């Protein structure tokens, strides 16, 4: 296993732990396990983000000094869509977007943003936006729930929050419509 493969594997493990999923069995961890302790979850999220930064830097710990805004917009040939990992374990949209972005060389183009996907989901009636505690939040609509998008209360770094999770069927829908999502993201 190469160093980059180890980094990807470690990040995936931290992502699963930070979402309350056993990285070995891919089963949801019991609520009363120490691995669901709020303080540990904060550390899992933190370590996952550090690993993401190291991966983005090609395995280097040092940060890149250059801005990414000069790079061309995200694009992914249709032939590569089948290489995007779709799992039976529900995932948060951030982690699914990371899987999509893992298909490109981030040194040569901008990454696809989470907001491009959620914006497409809102415009197609799978998510809706509502104001909660003076902040705009997204939640699944009835159509979204039929597609495989659901919400779950979780405890995180800043207290309780509503996590939006995407089942396998929702992940497939996103990949099937990725060309349209990319076009919208790039302002076409």
């Amino acid at each position: 296993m190469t160093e980059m493969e180890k980094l990807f594997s470690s990040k995936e493990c931290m992502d699963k732990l930070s979402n309350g999923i056993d990285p070995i069995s891919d089963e949801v961890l019991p609520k009363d396990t120490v691995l669901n302790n709020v303080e540990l979850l904060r550390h899992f999220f933190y370590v996952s983000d550090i690993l993401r930064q190291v991966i983005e830097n090609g395995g280097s710990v040092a940060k890149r000094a250059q801005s990414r805004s000069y790079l061309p917009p995200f694009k992914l040939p249709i032939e590569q869509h089948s290489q995007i990992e779709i799992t039976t374990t529900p995932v948060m949209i951030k982690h699914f977007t990371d899987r999509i972005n893992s298909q490109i060389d981030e040194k040569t183009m901008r990454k696809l943003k989470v907001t491009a996907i959620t914006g497409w989901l809102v415009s197609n009636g799978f998510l809706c936006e509502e104001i909660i505690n003076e902040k705009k939040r997204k939640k699944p609509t009835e159509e979204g729930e039929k597609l495989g998008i659901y919400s779950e209360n979780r405890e995180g770094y800043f207290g309780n929050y509503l996590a939006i999770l995407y089942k396998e069927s929702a992940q497939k829908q996103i990949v099937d419509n990725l060309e349209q999502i990319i076009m919208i993201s790039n302002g076409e």
Side-chain angles (χ1 to χ4, degrees), residues 22-166:
D22 181 331
I24 307 299
S25 68
D26 281 335
E27 293 179 13
V28 175
L29 292 166
K31 296 278 184 204
D32 62 348
T33 181
V34 69
L35 294 173
N36 270 330
N37 174 283
V38 175
E39 193 63 34
L40 283 178
L41 291 174
R42 290 178 189 156
H43 291 292
F44 296 150
F45 274 115
Y46 177 76
V47 171
S48 174
D49 191 53
I50 295 297
L51 289 169
R52 176 192 58 78
Q53 292 174 37
V54 171
I55 290 167
E56 284 179 357
N57 288 324
S60 173
V61 178
K63 257 189 166 179
R64 274 184 258 166
Q66 292 181 310
S67 165
R68 301 178 54 76
S69 62
Y70 67 93
L71 295 174
F74 179 90
K75 66 180 177 182
L76 188 67
I78 291 175
E79 306 81 51
Q80 284 184 260
H81 292 194
S82 63
Q83 297 172 9
I84 298 168
E85 181 186 7
I86 295 175
T87 60
T88 56
T89 305
V91 295
M92 294 177 73
I93 196 65
K94 164 75 173 99
H95 299 123
F96 191 66
T97 307
D98 287 345
R99 289 184 194 160
I100 295 170
N101 286 322
S102 72
Q103 299 299 311
I104 64 163
D105 179 358
E106 295 176 16
K107 295 175 186 167
T108 62
M109 85 175 63
R110 286 184 237 155
K111 297 190 298 185
L112 181 65
K113 294 182 179 178
V114 168
T115 55
I117 297 173
T118 57
W120 181 85
L121 290 165
V122 168
S123 67
N124 283 278
F126 298 115
L127 293 178
C128 65
E129 296 177 326
E130 61 180 33
I131 305 297
I132 302 174
N133 297 329
E134 299 180 22
K135 292 188 178 186
K136 194 184 291 188
R137 303 285 184 208
K138 292 176 179 54
K139 71 175 197 173
T141 62
E142 188 175 316
E143 284 301 310
E145 289 174 355
K146 288 178 189 174
L147 179 64
I149 304 172
Y150 68 99
S151 59
E152 168 180 290
N153 283 314
R154 291 193 174 174
E155 195 168 317
Y157 189 76
F158 297 107
N160 289 330
Y161 68 97
L162 192 65
I164 309 298
L165 298 162
Y166 296 76

